[in-house]
Structures are given as structure tokens and as C-alpha cells.
Amino acid sequence: MSDNFIEQKRSNHLYFQVGENQYAVNTENVLEIMKLPTLDYPQKLPNNIVGLLKYNSFVINVIDIRFYLNINVTPYNVNNELLIVKTDEVIFGIITDKIIGILPFETSMVDQIPFVDNNMIIDSLYRNDRDTVFILNIYAIESLLKNHNTDGKEYDIPSLFPQDESSKAIMLQRTKDMVDKSSMRFMSGNSQSKDKYISLNLNNDLYCISLDYVKEIIKDVNITNIPGTPNFIEGIMNLRGDYITVINLKKFLDLPNSEIKEKKPVIIIENNELQLALLVDKVNELFEFQELPQEVSSESYYECQFVNSTDLYTVLNIEKISSDKRIVVTDM
């Protein structure tokens, strides 16, 4: 059993949909998630590369894993999402249908495929409730990219991308926004370390949480109300046998709050062995940004604000939120 496999089992994974299947990569290897931008496509590229993208100061390959798995490739649209990942040596993009969330892998639920070789991009499986998540070996993909593997069915790659003018304009604007963001990062100093954040919506405002605190993201959750608790506590949820307190983040932060008429996502955070579920309006993207200075008192629920790709984000102070005396958590 490889060291990479053992390390994967102990880490959180980001999982996503491609076609009818779900796949996952270690969050340690994830740099960013974005909506599909316009890609460059020179006249001659290996069949397994669907385009090139200028990412920060690099030109990276973008792939569709279905080419490696001999699965039929269907056309893309503006709703596809691009996952930017890195190994020790390369950075590349993976086209996905949609990002599902972050999942903490439990060792007992992971099965290694017994007949894996160095060219297989799936080396293990994770049993998530009734679904099977295929764990990608991005180091195998790295090797295939270096060897310019062109096995499999040939496609007219440019024809897979949207051809209508509206979609083209949307994707081109995304590319321009990414270039602007890259320039801003360069001017701010690349010598600084970088942090990863999960962005979210509370009403129409953007907030984010350092990925260091994020244990899991669940899009639909059943919440059991508990009488006599503070109004910002929505109740408790059962997460694989553990009961976790669900905090309505808008109520907790005294933000305008409307009645919840539909299921909303929760972000499971962990700090000093305490787990909480933060109920939010929407979970957006994962991205990387320069390490941020502490600009406010540690007594505030907000650490600081910054601009990323023209959008203003407020960084939530998870240390302060999770240690608030109003939150009473009892063993159940």
C-alpha cells in the first residue's frame, strides 16, 4: 500500500460530479474552484487535454477525466466548474459537472482497488452512504500528462465547448476576471504564504472561512429542533451517529434573517475538538489567497476584509464564534 494512499485516507477530500459518477481529490492538492472560463486550444494537443489556461504565472493543461476512463464525453456548458489541482511538480485543471462538497474520509469506509497500476487514475473507493466515490490518483494523471498519453477515442475538442455567443461572452469574461485577480495577487507580493478559503453567502453578502477549520460541507441536512435553546440555534443534526449543534449564522451575527422555506447547506467546522454546523444561505467556491493580516480585535466575529476578483469578502473569526459563551454544547 502506497504512502500516498495512506495519507489520503487521513485527510478531507473535495468530491464532485462528472457524468453519472462522483470523484474526489485530497483538499491538500486543491488550489481553486472556478466556473469554466474560455480555454486556449492550439491546433495540436494530445487527445486527453481539452485546453490550456493561463493560471497566475503558469500555462496549465486542462483535462476531462472521462478521456482516461473511456467514458463518453458530453459537451460542456457555462455551468461546468473547473477544479485546479497541484502535485509536487505540476498544476492542472479538471473539468467537472459540479462540485458537491468536502467530505472527511473514514479509514473503515475506504477500499483500495487491488489491481491498480501506475497508469490508473483511480486507486481507491469511498462508500458514502449509498453512493460510491472514486478517489483520483492525481499523481497518475501527472505521469500520463508527462507521457502525452493519447490512447482512446478521438474527439473534436473545440466542438465540445459552447458555440452560442452568449455563452462565449460569459466564459470570456470569466477569463478576464481571472487575469485581473492574478495581477492583483502579483502586485500584493508572491513571497507571502497563501491560505485556502471556502466562500459563502449570507443574504447578498460574501463571507469566507479558512479551510483549516472546515471539516465537511453538506448541502441538504435534516435538523431536529430543540425547545428552550437560543433563537440562533436551529437544533441538532445527526452526522454518522454524532449529534452536532446547528447554528443559524445570520441570527448569530444579528444579520437580517427570513424564514427558512427550503433546505440550506451547512458547513461543519472543527476547532479545539469542538464541532459546530453553520447554517448558511449558499456555499460558493474554494480559492487561494495571500495570507491575511489580523486587522481587528480577536473579540470580533470578523477577522478582516479583502477583495478577490472584484468581490468583497469578510473573513469570519471561527476562533471567536466557536468559543462564544452563548453556545452551549452538551454530550448526547
Side-chain angles (χ1 to χ4, degrees):
M1 185 178 295
S2 68
D3 291 339
N4 283 339
F5 177 72
I6 294 173
E7 182 179 351
Q8 279 187 326
K9 293 197 298 182
R10 296 173 179 167
S11 302
N12 286 355
H13 280 62
L14 184 145
Y15 66 118
F16 54 91
Q17 189 89 19
V18 177
E20 297 180 354
N21 297 322
Q22 294 181 7
Y23 303 88
V25 294
N26 193 316
T27 55
E28 290 295 318
N29 298 108
V30 177
L31 290 178
E32 192 165 351
I33 300 166
M34 63 183 72
K35 289 291 188 179
L36 183 63
T38 298
L39 303 179
D40 293 326
Y41 192 81
Q43 288 186 346
K44 185 60 178 176
L45 281 176
N47 293 340
N48 54 317
I49 297 175
V50 298
L52 303 177
L53 177 68
K54 186 172 182 181
Y55 181 74
N56 293 340
S57 57
F58 305 97
V59 175
I60 66 173
N61 294 316
V62 177
I63 67 166
D64 185 328
I65 59 175
R66 290 176 291 186
F67 283 96
Y68 296 102
L69 301 172
N70 291 321
I71 298 174
N72 186 51
V73 179
T74 54
Y76 312 123
N77 58 63
V78 294
N79 295 318
N80 282 101
E81 295 181 283
L82 186 61
L83 178 63
I84 308 296
V85 299
K86 66 177 178 66
T87 65
D88 297 334
E89 297 183 14
V90 300
I91 299 173
F92 59 93
I94 301 174
I95 291 183
T96 77
D97 290 339
K98 65 176 180 178
I99 305 298
I100 300 173
I102 292 177
L103 193 68
F105 276 35
E106 299 175 10
T107 304
S108 62
M109 304 297 286
V110 177
D111 294 323
Q112 188 175 21
I113 299 175
F115 46 83
V116 168
D117 63 37
N118 292 333
N119 290 324
M120 288 186 62
I121 71 167
I122 296 173
D123 63 7
S124 47
L125 310 174
Y126 182 78
R127 301 187 302 276
N128 176 29
D129 296 329
R130 291 173 295 178
D131 298 323
T132 297
V133 180
F134 299 99
I135 304 174
L136 290 184
N137 182 346
I138 64 172
Y139 297 93
I141 297 177
E142 173 192 35
S143 177
L144 292 171
L145 285 171
K146 288 181 178 179
N147 294 331
H148 302 292
N149 185 289
T150 58
D151 294 338
K153 180 181 178 181
E154 290 193 9
Y155 282 85
D156 178 7
I157 301 294
S159 69
L160 293 173
F161 289 85
Q163 303 299 312
D164 62 285
E165 294 304 318
S166 175
S167 296
K168 288 182 178 180
I170 291 172
M171 294 169 63
L172 181 60
Q173 185 60 50
R174 291 171 181 168
T175 303
K176 291 179 178 178
D177 290 343
M178 187 173 59
V179 170
D180 291 341
K181 180 175 66 174
S182 176
S183 299
M184 180 181 64
R185 287 180 178 176
F186 179 78
M187 289 186 294
S188 66
N190 287 329
S191 61
Q192 298 178 4
S193 61
K194 296 180 180 181
D195 285 343
K196 294 178 182 177
Y197 297 90
I198 290 290
S199 70
L200 58 105
N201 274 88
L202 298 177
N203 298 318
N204 294 320
D205 296 320
L206 289 168
Y207 296 80
C208 64
I209 297 173
S210 171
L211 190 61
D212 291 340
Y213 297 104
V214 177
K215 183 175 177 64
E216 188 169 351
I217 296 172
I218 304 175
K219 292 199 172 181
D220 295 317
V221 63
N222 292 318
I223 301 173
T224 302
N225 294 322
I226 304 296
T229 56
N231 73 320
F232 60 82
I233 295 181
E234 287 292 320
I236 58 173
M237 59 174 287
N238 187 327
L239 182 63
R240 295 183 289 276
D242 293 329
Y243 289 96
I244 299 177
T245 301
V246 181
I247 305 295
N248 184 318
L249 201 50
K250 288 194 293 187
K251 290 182 180 179
F252 182 84
L253 298 172
D254 293 324
L255 301 175
N257 182 70
S258 57
E259 181 182 354
I260 300 176
K261 297 181 179 179
E262 58 185 24
K263 289 185 177 180
K264 294 190 175 182
V266 297
I267 301 175
I268 309 296
I269 61 167
E270 184 172 29
N271 184 38
N272 296 326
E273 299 184 356
L274 170 66
Q275 290 188 24
L276 292 173
L278 303 181
L279 184 69
V280 301
D281 288 333
K282 182 181 179 183
V283 177
N284 299 311
E285 61 177 349
L286 181 150
F287 60 88
E288 189 179 59
F289 200 74
Q290 305 292 358
E291 183 178 358
L292 301 170
Q294 298 294 323
E295 297 182 353
V296 296
S297 166
S298 60
E299 296 303 310
S300 172
Y301 295 126
Y302 310 106
E303 289 189 5
C304 57
Q305 292 183 318
F306 66 92
V307 174
N308 184 55
S309 188
T310 73
D311 293 319
L312 179 65
Y313 291 83
T314 299
V315 182
L316 294 174
N317 186 344
I318 298 302
E319 294 281 347
K320 172 61 177 174
I321 291 173
S322 60
S323 63
D324 193 286
K325 293 181 180 180
R326 296 180 296 162
I327 299 175
V328 178
V329 180
T330 58
D331 294 332
M332 303 192 65

